[in-house]
Amino acid sequence: MGKVVTLGEVLLRLSTSPGIRIPLAQSFHVQYGGAEANVAISLANYGHEVYLASKLPESNILSESVNRHLQSFGVSTRFIKEGSGRLGTYYLETGIGERGSNVIYDRAYSSFSMISKNEWEDEEMFKDADIFHVSGITPALSLYWRELTIELIKQARESGCKISFDINYRSKLWNQSEAGKTLRKILPFVDYCSAGKLDALYLLGISESSGKDEMSHYYRAIQREFSNIKVLYSTKREIISATANKLTGYLWNKGKLYSSTTHCMEPIVDRVGGGDAFSGGVLHGILEQMNPQKIIDFGTAASALKHTVEGDCNQFNAEEVIRFSSLGSGKITR
Amino acid sequence: MGKVVTLGEVLLRLSTSPGIRIPLAQSFHVQYGGAEANVAISLANYGHEVYLASKLPESNILSESVNRHLQSFGVSTRFIKEGSGRLGTYYLETGIGERGSNVIYDRAYSSFSMISKNEWEDEEMFKDADIFHVSGITPALSLYWRELTIELIKQARESGCKISFDINYRSKLWNQSEAGKTLRKILPFVDYCSAGKLDALYLLGISESSGKDEMSHYYRAIQREFSNIKVLYSTKREIISATANKLTGYLWNKGKLYSSTTHCMEPIVDRVGGGDAFSGGVLHGILEQMNPQKIIDFGTAASALKHTVEGDCNQFNAEEVIRFSSLGSGKITR
Amino acid sequence: MGKVVTLGEVLLRLSTSPGIRIPLAQSFHVQYGGAEANVAISLANYGHEVYLASKLPESNILSESVNRHLQSFGVSTRFIKEGSGRLGTYYLETGIGERGSNVIYDRAYSSFSMISKNEWEDEEMFKDADIFHVSGITPALSLYWRELTIELIKQARESGCKISFDINYRSKLWNQSEAGKTLRKILPFVDYCSAGKLDALYLLGISESSGKDEMSHYYRAIQREFSNIKVLYSTKREIISATANKLTGYLWNKGKLYSSTTHCMEPIVDRVGGGDAFSGGVLHGILEQMNPQKIIDFGTAASALKHTVEGDCNQFNAEEVIRFSSLGSGKITR
Amino acid sequence: MGKVVTLGEVLLRLSTSPGIRIPLAQSFHVQYGGAEANVAISLANYGHEVYLASKLPESNILSESVNRHLQSFGVSTRFIKEGSGRLGTYYLETGIGERGSNVIYDRAYSSFSMISKNEWEDEEMFKDADIFHVSGITPALSLYWRELTIELIKQARESGCKISFDINYRSKLWNQSEAGKTLRKILPFVDYCSAGKLDALYLLGISESSGKDEMSHYYRAIQREFSNIKVLYSTKREIISATANKLTGYLWNKGKLYSSTTHCMEPIVDRVGGGDAFSGGVLHGILEQMNPQKIIDFGTAASALKHTVEGDCNQFNAEEVIRFSSLGSGKITR
Amino acid sequence: MGKVVTLGEVLLRLSTSPGIRIPLAQSFHVQYGGAEANVAISLANYGHEVYLASKLPESNILSESVNRHLQSFGVSTRFIKEGSGRLGTYYLETGIGERGSNVIYDRAYSSFSMISKNEWEDEEMFKDADIFHVSGITPALSLYWRELTIELIKQARESGCKISFDINYRSKLWNQSEAGKTLRKILPFVDYCSAGKLDALYLLGISESSGKDEMSHYYRAIQREFSNIKVLYSTKREIISATANKLTGYLWNKGKLYSSTTHCMEPIVDRVGGGDAFSGGVLHGILEQMNPQKIIDFGTAASALKHTVEGDCNQFNAEEVIRFSSLGSGKITR
Amino acid sequence: MGKVVTLGEVLLRLSTSPGIRIPLAQSFHVQYGGAEANVAISLANYGHEVYLASKLPESNILSESVNRHLQSFGVSTRFIKEGSGRLGTYYLETGIGERGSNVIYDRAYSSFSMISKNEWEDEEMFKDADIFHVSGITPALSLYWRELTIELIKQARESGCKISFDINYRSKLWNQSEAGKTLRKILPFVDYCSAGKLDALYLLGISESSGKDEMSHYYRAIQREFSNIKVLYSTKREIISATANKLTGYLWNKGKLYSSTTHCMEPIVDRVGGGDAFSGGVLHGILEQMNPQKIIDFGTAASALKHTVEGDCNQFNAEEVIRFSSLGSGKITR
């Protein structure tokens, strides 16, 4: 089992039951999550020693809620700072059928986004760590975070840590040009990278593929530019409706493309965090030194499984993910 | 934006959660609705000035519930009378999958159905109104309502109001022969009419179409008899199960048939009021002077969207209906 | 209408809402059921006089819960004994989509399973009874129950009762060899038997069919060995996901195979007890002397209907099952 | 154990959670009850053989709900007729603290209230019955019911049955003068009568007591006029708030007054049916030939216990009522 | 009936069920409210024509939720602006018994608090208005709001409007010295003022009363300084626990003190908005020209009634408040 | 901050909402707890390093539920073993008002109770630990546990650990004579002991006190026999009803009795675990070297606070307990 450090913001999610619009909702479902926190929980479920570096409002019971959530899955909260600012929040009007979900962000002025110096400078956070994982949401939060993210990545590499990066582009936080510029500064340090077709086209300026094997085209082009990246991976999601999606995972390793079987996810209980569960699964495969086909099968199964439960995070251990892969869709176990 | 007056009964709906039969239900979901009230709410959501003419039991907190429901969407309750009688009620044992929903009516002796004189005679209800909308449920409620409906339609026309009529045949309220006779008295005054194939065949006695373009056949025949009707429209619903339906809208204008794209509605959250949302959408298109293709696209999208929320009424504004049409099924907005 | 006696254990089921895993569940749904109790309830719903012979913990409010459940459907609890031991329990982590349900049994040491003598020896339980129904779960519960089941079957036959037996093999209770041995002792007394392909292959040692009409092959072989069996029946379930299954019923009578239409069950609300609802429907058909095609249609419809409601037991009366068969999938009744 | 027949209407109750007003309620709690049905359930819980004579709408799933409710407690539904009309309904806006509960009746036109002939004339309903119980609500329902109640009481007496009558005056159903006249026709046939101070003063015209022992005064006066009445009983309820009441039971037998200890009921979960639980308890005491002090203690404890559970009916057996009396307020049993 | 304009911020309230702490809450109750909005709703319930002037985030479904909430009670949203910023939010960990409720504010950066110019300058908002009501929370929100509040008060007075002001001091928004300074600028324009003992002592620097009739002492002193104030009023709340409070209302008019009966509120469902319901009741009394004793009785009853329902606002009409006062605590109405 | 090891069984609790009896419950609330686990959680909340030694069924998702519960509060699960057997369960029919709660145990055959050797023999569990805490429930579980408890206590003492013991007598697990015998073997090793009047009288055979200061009498007598015990403590609970209790804490140290203020707990949300919260609070005071008066005030406040939340465990940190003590009953914090 490995040791992993992740870095990122945790948000409070307030969502409606499917079929209920926000103005008629008399209650909201409460969840806590964030891209990197979700990856941390996945990896803790698989038995790794995992830390989340983050920042929360001080003396605030919502911060305690976040800590309890992480601890319940065995994620260490030792590197979570507290200070001024609020807890980032978002509202999710849950979609169903033809009507997609609608996200209303209320995350400005959060404690994490307003960080203004490296609060982990003197920590021995990366000592003996195998992987440092961060997503593109973190540098998107502020100009200072664009610097600090790189600073922390360098700090991690000095400790001999591999760098895992999920591009995770969010158009509501920054634009393609800003994101592209920052990515070009980060990717030279990255070992494992979750990047998809749209990232290649719009953020990294790679030309569109006209051929059949498009994923190989994009991954080959990315790796040509950033030869330090050892593993590239992403999912392709076919959206039939908010309730029915098809999901296939792709992984590029040593010049070869691997793809998973396609999961027909219907009904989807909750798609938020599906990508994080995928990253968590792939990183587990890497840490466990699985072969590339097993990695992509495991990661995609983990993501499909995540879609069957409420909440942002994957709640299954490795044995359950494997049994799910082998059992066949929908079989009862009794 | 226009001014619209609708007329009709509001009922209390008591329904079970899907999967629960009435004898095992420890609670019922509570909703308020009625064909014309639902159209009123749709049009108020789209920004029009809307009034519902109706009647409720006096000094009864259920009447207050109805008023609050209508007001919350901006429908004026100024022309709602109060008097003796009860609030009409119905029970809905919600279907799922192969098992269709089951409606148990308990609407006899309601304040509205027992109206015995024109209580709106002296109101300036139709002044400056663009449309007066009523459905076939209202004349079905009593012999007197068959007269009064026509009287109010005439009163509206005298104010220069267009007449909108939704045939809305309910076999539990009257039979085909009674309905047909009344319809023949009403339709000569109607400008916009929601009528489908079954109405044409069984209420208006139009011969069955053997050709491909059957909707044109029926609409042409109706318009031949009632040349005053400018717009005819209806949906065709393909029922795969209580949970999965396909919905296509048709509109006949100036001798030409327009049809919408087909919406695959799965899962359906609540189909009650789907037809009213369709009428509301079409009337909005007419009031906004959209072209016929836009009208039928908007109306059908509004109806499909209504199927994704609990309750009888459409809860979306015009911008949301349009975004829904253009976004593609199930896309998340974040 | 007939008189039926069933024999078996009743369990408490504690289940999660779909989308919620057990560790995050703040509440469990509560249901009571058991293979034979479910058949009893079905038959009581259809108007027969039905008794369940069972045993429950004494002076325990959970036993009262079981009695109330049975009585509410009109099943007589007159032959339910009370004594030491616990109420058998199981946890159901409800599946959805690709993720199948997971059953965690906690049924050891139950009052029923620990029965150590024929507590119904002196009862006139079988007097005038038409059918005595038991399933393969009962002999699987203990070595003594293997004997007692046969003893009670013989006692029933002496009263002129027909024997109905549902093989209902559960690998967590005994292995194939043990089950096969016991079955060979029971089947010679059986009149109506629910047995499927897997039972034929693995419990009764019948050779695999290579032909098209495999069900005839298996039934013919079983009847060759146990010529006393008059009716054989089972369902074939095609599992697309935990939420979508296809179900077809088969019945073998006088050397001829009858099959039902295939029911597309989507979404499935609760599949537990689906087989019991099928047996209940078939036995009703037999008691009502329907022709074989009607029997298998009724039984399969009853089972499909059961999948649309929460809880182990079929809650529909005969008229509702028949209306469901004839109405067409998903039609609203209003 | 005895055999008891009760006669009365069963209503559907739709209520809000405390703290929620009807216009804001998105769901209603569902209960079934009626004064005589509640007494029937109490007596069935205590082990007696109990029948409810009533009438429900035919082919209506709400009627099935009522039957299941009664059967679950072991009350026989054999003498429940079905026919035209609706199921009487009422809404309960549940009070709390200073704000009392508010009842909105919607019971007109019910199947039971519209009975127009003795539908039990040819039944052997009273054969071997010990007690026939009816309350003053039944004759209040219609002019015909005033006759039929007396007819059925006479029919019962011919079978050797004792008559139990609970005055249960409801000002919304009839006025004091009408009630008084009918009571004077019924009371000459009554053996056991639940009547309180207000009944004595306003319905029976007994002069107000100026002395201390007012209950003796009223009971003595009633018995002076109706010497056939062997037992008179009632509770005195001190209302501190909707949530806190004090309850004391009184019983008059052979010229002597017995009173129970005073129960401090706080918080009250549901007071509807509290009087019926009291009557049920007293009748059980009479059937079991307890001494008068035990009867009034048991009846009052049963009523206090009823106030601690949701729903109209007492759900406790005799042993639980007795344990409750002896254990002391609020003791945990573990 | 009068016309009233109120001005203030509306917040989203997210609260737990009593007995559940925030970190274990899987859902939050959703309410919308604000001091002045609550007063507006009370007055609309009593039949007045009421407007709320406020500001909400633009193109945000939470703003639509606020509008629907206000409209459902008949409050006009015509003077609600939309613009940048967020919707102010707060979390309420609901107290019970000895444990008081805990409020966690998250209201910074709201659209209303960030207003930077008089957005109602050109509106005819105060035309024909009888009362303009605002509370001390509004000037506490920003330095600019201290100016703008006074500017709007002057604008209102120019239209001949009376000024109603509720001091409503919140220590988390500003300190006593800041509040005192602003109050001295506002009070010279005020006609009706809700002020209590603590306001007199700590904000207005009035000396402590040593005598019995302390309320007269404080009111006399306030009126000595601000002789323009015609009516002063407040409640005294005796806190036994979070669940049990005693409430007495006081009103000072023309040199005389009036006090209400004391309401024993137990259990309290929701105390948030209790003061606003009191102000709303008093203002109704003033508008209806009740005598002072009736005003203070009505206002205090309205406040006590508010404590019996969930949510920030009083949901009762004038007739219900009066019936509540006269009926006596906890009486059932049936 | 200290290091604490506790030892004990964790049970699954299934409970009804107040007002609902088990036979009518359609869902049960789910909680996990146990006397020593609850103490562990309290101490972890106060910032100590805490371990629970226990045993759970292997490969069982209910075991994972228990682990997540403990981890969420920061209790280490490192010394929790897994093996055969079930998870002990109990049902709680929640009392209210006069009706006390009713516990139905289903804890036989649990993994923990069936332990048959010292599974912690080779662990360095007690290294550097300050306190080892166990309650009388553990030795009550089996004859072997009577030995093993003492063996583990000795093992702890060898590591220099203080022994904390809560007598916690449960009559359903063993009788007074068995308990007394075992206690006399355990108490000679104990440093801090929770023991009350009934323990002194019935388990330790101390004569009844006739004087006023009875707690001093009992504690003096216990200490006379077991002079090794440094601190004795317990609460006195006055039970007005299941909903209202008064609670006073007593502590005996160096020959002197200290008592807390009396907490009026009304309404009680959940009294299960109230004693464990008290022990947890007292042990925190001891670890923090508070003076005896502060210890007993803190411990009793912690217990009172626990009664205001659902679930077995105290969920408050030390700062919250102290604020609760100082704030005064029911004050809102805003």
Side-chain angles (χ1 to χ4, degrees), chain A residues 12 14 21-32 60-62 64-65 68 86-87 89 91 93 102 104-106 108-109 114, chain E residues 12 14 21-32 60-62 64-65 68 86-87 89 91 93 102 104-106 108-109 114:
Chain A
L12 163 61
L14 298 162
R21 299 210 67 200
I22 284 178
L24 285 177
Q26 293 189 339
S27 67
F28 290 149
H29 299 250
V30 175
Q31 305 281 356
Y32 302 92
N60 186 313
I61 199 160
L62 293 166
E64 195 178 322
S65 305
R68 292 245 191 103
R86 43 189 302 271
L87 182 69
T89 302
Y91 298 87
E93 195 174 75
N102 192 18
I104 299 101
Y105 280 116
D106 181 21
Y109 311 106
M114 297 197 302
Chain E
L12 164 61
L14 298 161
R21 299 210 68 200
I22 284 177
L24 285 177
Q26 293 189 340
S27 67
F28 290 149
H29 300 251
V30 174
Q31 305 281 356
Y32 301 92
N60 186 314
I61 198 160
L62 294 166
E64 195 177 321
S65 305
R68 292 246 192 103
R86 43 190 300 272
L87 182 68
T89 302
Y91 298 86
E93 195 175 73
N102 192 19
I104 299 103
Y105 281 115
D106 182 20
Y109 312 106
M114 297 198 302

Side-chain angles (χ1 to χ4, degrees), chain E residues 129-331:
Chain E
D130 295 291
I131 293 180
F132 174 47
H133 174 78
V134 64
S135 95
I137 289 173
T138 300
L141 292 175
S142 72
L143 289 176
Y144 180 66
W145 262 115
R146 284 167 216 176
E147 290 173 33
L148 183 53
T149 305
I150 295 168
E151 185 179 329
L152 287 163
I153 285 174
K154 288 180 181 165
Q155 195 178 320
R157 280 173 66 96
E158 277 160 29
S159 294
C161 211
K162 298 287 182 193
I163 306 303
S164 163
F165 189 76
D166 178 352
I167 290 184
N168 231 340
Y169 175 67
R170 293 289 152 90
S171 62
K172 291 198 177 171
L173 296 177
W174 54 357
N175 62 34
Q176 294 178 358
S177 148
E178 289 169 318
K181 256 182 278 175
T182 300
L183 277 182
R184 294 193 172 282
K185 291 184 193 153
I186 290 174
L187 291 184
F189 304 107
V190 169
D191 298 281
Y192 317 125
C193 180
S194 177
K197 174 183 171 181
L198 298 177
D199 300 326
L201 288 173
Y202 301 117
L203 306 182
L204 299 175
I206 291 167
S207 62
E208 187 146 15
S209 163
S210 56
K212 253 189 154 177
D213 183 12
E214 58 168 12
M215 289 314 296
S216 293
H217 165 78
Y218 296 118
Y219 285 154
R220 193 172 288 120
I222 294 174
Q223 218 181 30
R224 200 172 300 136
E225 189 171 349
F226 306 102
S227 59
N228 51 291
I229 302 180
K230 281 165 219 76
V231 179
L232 279 153
Y233 59 99
S234 73
T235 54
K236 203 181 267 176
R237 184 186 286 271
E238 187 188 339
I239 299 174
I240 294 131
S241 74
T243 305
N245 287 188
K246 290 184 179 173
L247 191 81
T248 316
Y250 294 95
L251 183 141
W252 177 262
N253 181 238
K254 296 186 180 165
K256 208 176 147 195
L257 186 74
Y258 301 83
S259 65
S260 75
T261 56
T262 295
H263 288 264
C264 296
M265 306 187 300
E266 183 178 14
I268 292 171
V269 172
D270 188 345
R271 65 164 275 181
V272 178
D276 307 324
F278 178 62
S279 293
V282 167
L283 293 177
H284 175 64
I286 289 170
L287 284 162
E288 292 293 282
Q289 299 177 297
M290 295 179 183
N291 67 46
Q293 187 60 48
K294 282 223 165 147
I295 292 175
I296 195 63
D297 285 343
F298 185 90
T300 313
S303 181
L305 209 37
K306 153 65 209 91
H307 286 77
T308 71
V309 290
E310 273 184 41
D312 295 36
C313 69
N314 178 40
Q315 303 164 20
F316 299 86
N317 61 34
E319 191 194 341
E320 289 169 327
V321 174
I322 289 163
R323 199 190 316 136
F324 171 73
S325 300
S326 63
L327 193 66
S329 174
K331 293 285 189 316

Side-chain angles (χ1 to χ4, degrees), chain A residues 206-258:
Chain A
I206 291 165
S207 63
E208 189 146 14
S209 164
S210 56
K212 254 190 155 176
D213 183 11
E214 57 168 12
M215 288 315 295
S216 295
H217 165 77
Y218 296 117
Y219 285 153
R220 193 172 287 120
I222 294 174
Q223 218 181 29
R224 201 172 299 135
E225 188 172 349
F226 305 102
S227 60
N228 52 291
I229 302 179
K230 280 165 218 76
V231 179
L232 279 154
Y233 59 98
S234 72
T235 55
K236 203 181 267 176
R237 183 186 287 272
E238 187 189 338
I239 299 175
I240 294 130
S241 74
T243 306
N245 288 187
K246 290 185 179 174
L247 191 81
T248 316
Y250 295 95
L251 183 141
W252 178 261
N253 183 239
K254 296 188 181 163
K256 208 176 147 194
L257 186 74
Y258 301 83

Side-chain angles (χ1 to χ4, degrees), chain A residues 13 22 24 61 72 113 121 125 129 141 145 167 177 214 217 220 225 283-285 291 303 309 316 322:
Chain A
R13 178 177 98 179
I22 284 178
L24 285 177
I61 199 160
S72 75
S113 69
E121 199 162 16
M125 187 158 72
L141 292 176
W145 263 114
I167 289 183
S177 147
E214 57 168 12
H217 165 77
R220 193 172 287 120
E225 188 172 349
L283 292 178
H284 175 64
N291 68 45
S303 181
V309 289
F316 299 87
I322 289 163

Side-chain angles (χ1 to χ4, degrees), chain C residues 13-308:
Chain C
R13 177 176 98 178
L14 298 162
S15 61
T16 57
S17 295
I20 304 291
R21 299 210 66 200
I22 284 177
L24 285 177
Q26 294 189 339
S27 67
F28 289 149
H29 300 250
V30 174
Q31 305 281 356
Y32 302 92
E36 298 88 350
N38 299 341
V39 170
I41 288 172
S42 275
L43 289 166
N45 286 341
Y46 302 148
H48 303 283
E49 182 187 343
V50 189
Y51 299 82
L52 175 69
S54 191
K55 189 170 183 185
L56 295 169
E58 69 192 330
S59 303
N60 186 314
I61 197 159
L62 294 166
S63 303
E64 194 177 321
S65 304
V66 172
N67 285 325
R68 293 246 192 103
H69 170 69
L70 295 166
Q71 282 175 9
S72 74
F73 291 99
V75 173
S76 172
T77 60
R78 188 172 139 197
F79 300 113
I80 297 184
K81 309 293 179 187
E82 298 213 339
S84 62
R86 41 190 303 273
L87 182 68
T89 302
Y90 71 102
Y91 298 86
L92 179 75
E93 195 175 74
T94 308
I96 188 163
E98 288 188 300
R99 176 167 58 85
S101 287
N102 191 20
V103 169
I104 299 103
Y105 280 116
D106 181 20
R107 65 190 293 174
Y109 311 107
S110 73
S111 303
F112 185 85
S113 70
M114 298 197 302
I115 277 178
S116 58
K117 60 164 194 172
N118 183 351
E119 304 196 15
W120 298 272
E121 199 162 16
D122 305 324
E123 302 277 11
E124 298 213 326
M125 186 158 70
F126 299 116
K127 202 184 155 191
D128 299 328
D130 296 290
I131 293 180
F132 174 48
H133 174 79
V134 64
S135 95
I137 290 173
T138 300
L141 292 176
S142 73
L143 290 177
Y144 179 66
W145 262 115
R146 283 166 217 176
E147 290 173 34
L148 182 54
T149 306
I150 295 168
E151 184 179 330
L152 286 164
I153 285 173
K154 287 181 181 164
Q155 195 178 320
R157 280 173 65 96
E158 276 161 28
S159 295
C161 211
K162 298 288 183 193
I163 306 303
S164 163
F165 190 77
D166 179 351
I167 290 183
N168 230 344
Y169 175 66
R170 293 287 152 93
S171 63
K172 291 198 177 171
L173 296 177
W174 54 357
N175 62 34
Q176 293 178 359
S177 147
E178 289 169 318
K181 255 182 277 173
T182 301
L183 277 181
R184 294 195 171 282
K185 291 185 194 152
I186 290 174
L187 291 184
F189 303 107
V190 169
D191 298 279
Y192 317 124
C193 180
S194 176
K197 174 183 171 180
L198 299 177
D199 300 326
L201 287 174
Y202 301 117
L203 306 183
L204 298 175
I206 291 166
S207 64
E208 188 147 14
S209 163
S210 55
K212 253 190 157 178
D213 183 13
E214 59 168 13
M215 289 315 296
S216 295
H217 165 78
Y218 296 117
Y219 285 154
R220 192 172 288 120
I222 294 173
Q223 219 181 30
R224 201 172 300 136
E225 188 170 350
F226 306 101
S227 60
N228 51 292
I229 301 179
K230 280 165 219 76
V231 178
L232 278 153
Y233 60 99
S234 73
T235 55
K236 202 180 270 175
R237 183 187 287 272
E238 186 188 340
I239 298 175
I240 295 129
S241 74
T243 306
N245 287 188
K246 290 184 179 173
L247 191 82
T248 317
Y250 294 95
L251 183 141
W252 178 262
N253 182 241
K254 296 188 182 162
K256 207 176 149 197
L257 186 75
Y258 302 83
S259 65
S260 76
T261 56
T262 296
H263 288 265
C264 297
M265 306 187 300
E266 182 179 13
I268 292 172
V269 172
D270 189 345
R271 64 164 276 182
V272 177
D276 307 324
F278 178 61
S279 293
V282 167
L283 292 177
H284 174 65
I286 289 170
L287 283 162
E288 292 293 282
Q289 298 177 300
M290 294 180 183
N291 67 46
Q293 187 59 47
K294 282 223 166 147
I295 293 174
I296 195 63
D297 284 343
F298 184 91
T300 314
S303 182
L305 210 38
K306 154 63 209 92
H307 285 76
T308 71

Side-chain angles (χ1 to χ4, degrees), chain E residues 40-95:
Chain E
I41 288 172
S42 275
L43 289 166
N45 286 340
Y46 302 147
H48 303 283
E49 182 187 345
V50 188
Y51 299 82
L52 175 69
S54 191
K55 189 169 182 184
L56 295 169
E58 69 192 330
S59 303
N60 186 314
I61 198 160
L62 294 166
S63 303
E64 195 177 321
S65 305
V66 172
N67 284 326
R68 292 246 192 103
H69 170 67
L70 294 166
Q71 282 174 9
S72 73
F73 291 98
V75 173
S76 171
T77 59
R78 188 172 140 198
F79 300 114
I80 296 184
K81 309 294 178 186
E82 299 212 338
S84 62
R86 43 190 300 272
L87 182 68
T89 302
Y90 70 102
Y91 298 86
L92 180 75
E93 195 175 73
T94 307

Side-chain angles (χ1 to χ4, degrees), chain F residues 21-82:
Chain F
R21 298 211 68 199
I22 284 177
L24 285 177
Q26 292 188 341
S27 67
F28 290 149
H29 299 251
V30 174
Q31 306 281 355
Y32 302 92
E36 298 88 351
N38 299 342
V39 170
I41 288 172
S42 274
L43 289 166
N45 285 342
Y46 302 148
H48 304 283
E49 183 188 342
V50 188
Y51 299 81
L52 175 70
S54 192
K55 190 170 183 185
L56 295 169
E58 70 192 332
S59 303
N60 186 313
I61 198 159
L62 294 167
S63 303
E64 195 177 322
S65 304
V66 172
N67 284 325
R68 292 245 194 105
H69 170 68
L70 294 166
Q71 283 174 8
S72 74
F73 291 98
V75 173
S76 171
T77 59
R78 189 171 138 196
F79 300 114
I80 297 184
K81 309 293 179 187
E82 300 213 335

